[in-house]
Amino acid sequence: MDPVVDGLPCLWMRGGTSKGAYFLASDMPADVAARDDLLLRIMGSPDPRQVDGIGGADPLMSKVAILGPASRPDADVDYLFLQVFVDQALVSDAQACGNILAGVGPAAIERGLVTAGDGETTVRIHMLNTGEVSTARVQTPGGRVRYDGDAHIDGVPGTHAPIPLMFQNIAGSMCGSLLPSGAVVDLVDGVACTLIDNGMPCVVMAASDFGLTGQESRDDLDANTALKARLESIRLAVGPMMNLGDVTEKSVPKMTLVSAPVNGGAISTRSFIPHRCHASIGVFAAVSVATACTLPGSPAAALARVPADGRFLIEHPTGAAEVLIETDRDGQVTGAGTLRTARKLFDGRVFPRS
């Protein structure tokens, strides 16, 4: 079958504050290079507008989930996340994505990988990027996925069915340990940085160290070429420190500027992914930042208002993301969760360019 002529089955979904194409692994080429080439042609990359593909001309709208039968007994489905770069011919599996993760449970049910129960279905998702398992609870009245509901997340208009996500054992998901350098604070290029990985490798820094308030708009930050050049210099320097090696062509670590909260949250953020300012903040990045807030001596802890109940509101340019942090009696983080929503946008066949 020629995908250019016959197309490929594709489920296009909003997951959290992102959008992506969900495919079955059985419909993808087994060869990684061939798969990546196909996805670039499907999404319309490299092109800033992605005009000849289904990508949305933004990293948040140029994402892919590949689903398959679970390869371990404690999971129901395998999930591989791929970031398709917009203006480069690059496809990266170097990170997980908690927003696209929100659509995996519904997509797995839609595609018959998981049988829905009547009322609610728990889907255990093996995240191939990190090797961890997350649990999603999907509303399935009458054995069908329900997308409408009363849950609202900032950055998405309206309300939808809630999809709670819980994560365990995500510390060091890509870097090998929560603090891969062994320190709460490292001085890099004169900037105090917390190098942290609690589901997403992040570099957490005070916005004030860059002469910023931390409340600048996304457009203003994207136009600040001097800031972006300095952030990239730091990012390249910390790659080996975080056990990530040369990160020149990787989408991690995420560079996150923090400041004191202004809207009743725990902390305010401006996150780069990694070269453009995020319209909100990724799920796993929010978890890593919330965790950084609990580390005495870190830039985040110095600015944060740590909630007594463990429910962190991580402020971002379009609202706030809620993160639940669970700790043991010694204050060590043992688990994390968040509430997301998802919606099926279309189900059909996609035709890559030739």
Side-chain angles (χ1 to χ4, degrees):
M1 182 177 293
D2 183 351
V4 174
V5 176
D6 302 303
L8 286 170
C10 176
L11 187 60
W12 186 247
M13 296 188 71
R14 176 187 61 78
T17 54
S18 295
K19 286 193 292 189
Y22 292 69
F23 297 99
L24 290 178
S26 57
D27 291 327
M28 288 281 107
D31 178 74
V32 171
R35 179 202 68 194
D36 291 352
D37 175 70
L38 177 63
L39 293 176
L40 288 166
R41 291 187 286 124
I42 286 173
M43 302 304 282
S45 298
D47 172 34
R49 295 188 299 151
Q50 290 183 316
V51 69
D52 202 27
I54 64 173
D58 187 294
L60 301 181
M61 315 299 170
S62 186
K63 299 184 174 185
V64 168
I66 297 180
L67 311 183
S71 58
R72 52 191 285 179
D74 59 346
D76 301 305
V77 61
D78 278 357
Y79 155 53
L80 177 67
F81 169 72
L82 296 171
Q83 178 71 60
V84 180
F85 283 56
V86 175
D87 54 0
Q88 300 180 63
L90 291 174
V91 178
S92 174
D93 65 357
Q95 66 177 79
C97 179
N99 277 305
I100 294 300
L101 173 67
V104 171
I109 295 169
E110 296 273 8
R111 285 291 186 255
L113 292 170
V114 174
T115 301
D118 186 3
E120 183 177 271
T121 303
T122 297
V123 182
R124 300 168 301 168
I125 302 164
H126 176 204
M127 301 180 291
L128 294 175
N129 301 78
T130 63
E132 306 298 340
V133 174
S134 66
T135 300
R137 298 204 314 270
V138 182
Q139 293 190 7
T140 52
R144 299 189 65 179
V145 177
R146 178 186 179 189
Y147 294 101
D148 64 304
D150 299 325
H152 171 76
I153 60 173
D154 286 332
V156 178
T159 62
H160 303 84
I163 302 178
L165 299 168
M166 289 302 298
F167 316 108
Q168 300 291 332
N169 304 316
I170 55 174
S173 62
M174 296 181 63
C175 300
S177 61
L178 180 69
L179 299 172
S181 74
V184 172
V185 176
D186 289 282
L187 198 64
V188 184
D189 193 21
V191 176
C193 303
T194 295
L195 314 182
I196 187 168
D197 174 13
N198 200 21
M200 177 64 68
C202 289
V203 182
V204 182
M205 304 156 288
S208 58
D209 283 346
F210 296 85
L212 302 171
T213 67
Q215 298 306 309
E216 289 80 4
S217 72
R218 183 190 189 198
D219 288 342
D220 285 346
L221 292 173
D222 274 341
N224 190 334
T225 55
L227 168 69
K228 293 172 72 173
R230 192 173 181 201
L231 289 176
E232 182 65 1
S233 176
I234 294 173
R235 196 178 78 90
L236 294 176
V238 302
M241 297 169 65
M242 299 183 74
N243 301 318
L244 296 170
D246 182 357
V247 297
T248 303
E249 295 188 349
K250 294 181 181 178
S251 54
V252 288
K254 307 301 185 188
M255 309 300 285
T256 304
L257 305 179
V258 294
S259 56
V262 296
N263 293 310
I267 198 161
S268 182
T269 63
R270 294 295 186 267
S271 183
F272 290 78
I273 53 173
H275 304 123
R276 295 177 67 178
C277 186
H278 204 308
S280 54
I281 188 171
V283 171
F284 290 114
V287 170
S288 288
V289 171
T291 305
C293 292
T294 71
L295 303 177
S298 71
L303 296 163
R305 297 173 186 164
V306 177
D309 62 358
R311 300 177 73 90
F312 288 72
L313 284 177
I314 308 300
E315 297 177 5
H316 55 68
T318 54
E322 182 177 313
V323 174
L324 175 64
I325 296 291
E326 298 174 343
T327 58
D328 60 20
R329 64 181 64 187
D330 298 320
Q332 299 297 309
V333 174
T334 57
T338 188
L339 178 70
R340 297 280 88 186
T341 67
R343 192 168 78 84
K344 179 171 63 173
L345 303 178
F346 79 71
D347 186 358
R349 304 185 78 84
V350 65
F351 294 82
R353 68 171 182 255
S354 59

